Amino acid sequence: AAYEITDLAKLESQDFEAEVQQALVYAVMRSFEQKIIDALIPSAANPNHVIAPTSASDLAPGDLGRVRTLLSEAKVPDLNRFFVMAPSYYSDLLNKTGFTSMDFISGNSSVSAGQFSSPLLGFKVIEHNMLATDTAFGFHPSALQIVIQQDMQIKVSDLHSQNRLGY
């Protein structure tokens, strides 16, 4: 990511510098998240790991159970499973009384401030707005291995020979 600065006074402002750095880090992280999402897209080869919801555009508790079964049959570890879903599916689950009502959940409610505070069927449930509508992934962190050689570095660029400044 890059940001060209045309006003030298802005370059000298610490507030502006922090704002630019934050925007650049955000852009890089969003790009990185998209690469992770692309890597999680299931293979269409056999076995097919795409599960269509029982009712179109409506994620139901049984659908989550089918994902759990698929992962268990593939011998994916039970601990630390994640279910990341688009906002459309997340709101579907928030509207299911079997997952949100204290009549069905022992102890404290699993929903606090619009978020699932305890696992559902062994999954930590996360909403992610970069997923396409009616898309969700059930996975274990071991599905991806990421190597980062060094931390991100942000600096004023070396464009001085062109009479330009930027990050």
Side-chain angles (χ1 to χ4, degrees):
Y3 192 94
E4 184 175 350
I5 300 168
T6 56
D7 183 353
L8 187 57
K10 279 189 175 183
L11 181 63
E12 295 171 352
S13 164
Q14 288 183 343
D15 290 339
F16 180 73
E17 181 180 358
E19 181 182 319
V20 169
Q21 287 183 3
Q22 184 178 9
L24 289 172
V25 168
Y26 180 78
V28 170
M29 295 307 292
R30 292 297 274 198
S31 172
F32 193 65
E33 286 179 27
Q34 188 59 55
K35 290 181 187 321
I36 292 171
I37 290 168
D38 294 344
L40 284 174
I41 294 174
S43 168
N46 286 334
N48 186 344
H49 294 116
V50 176
I51 297 176
T54 305
S55 174
S57 298
D58 182 24
L59 191 66
D63 301 324
L64 190 59
R66 288 179 26 219
V67 171
R68 186 181 193 291
T69 299
L70 181 68
L71 291 175
S72 294
E73 288 174 349
K75 304 205 182 340
V76 172
D78 292 337
L79 293 175
N80 298 320
R81 288 182 180 178
F82 289 85
F83 202 68
V84 179
M85 59 187 68
S88 57
Y89 273 171
Y90 195 82
S91 64
D92 286 346
L93 285 187
L94 285 175
N95 289 318
K96 305 295 184 213
T97 56
F99 282 144
T100 58
S101 172
M102 291 188 69
D103 294 336
F104 299 96
I105 308 277
S106 62
N108 295 332
S109 173
S110 67
V111 176
S112 174
Q115 295 184 340
F116 290 95
S117 55
S118 58
L120 295 178
L121 299 176
F123 289 99
K124 178 174 172 56
V125 179
I126 300 170
E127 178 181 24
H128 200 297
N129 63 6
M130 286 181 66
L131 295 178
T133 300
D134 297 341
T135 301
F137 295 106
F139 65 95
H140 187 270
S142 64
L144 294 169
Q145 299 298 315
I146 299 169
V147 176
I148 298 174
Q149 292 181 335
Q150 66 183 34
D151 290 334
M152 189 181 321
Q153 296 177 350
I154 300 173
K155 67 175 190 142
V156 176
S157 73
D158 301 324
L159 298 173
H160 307 301
S161 63
Q162 301 170 20
N163 278 340
R164 293 169 44 193
L165 298 169
Y167 283 94

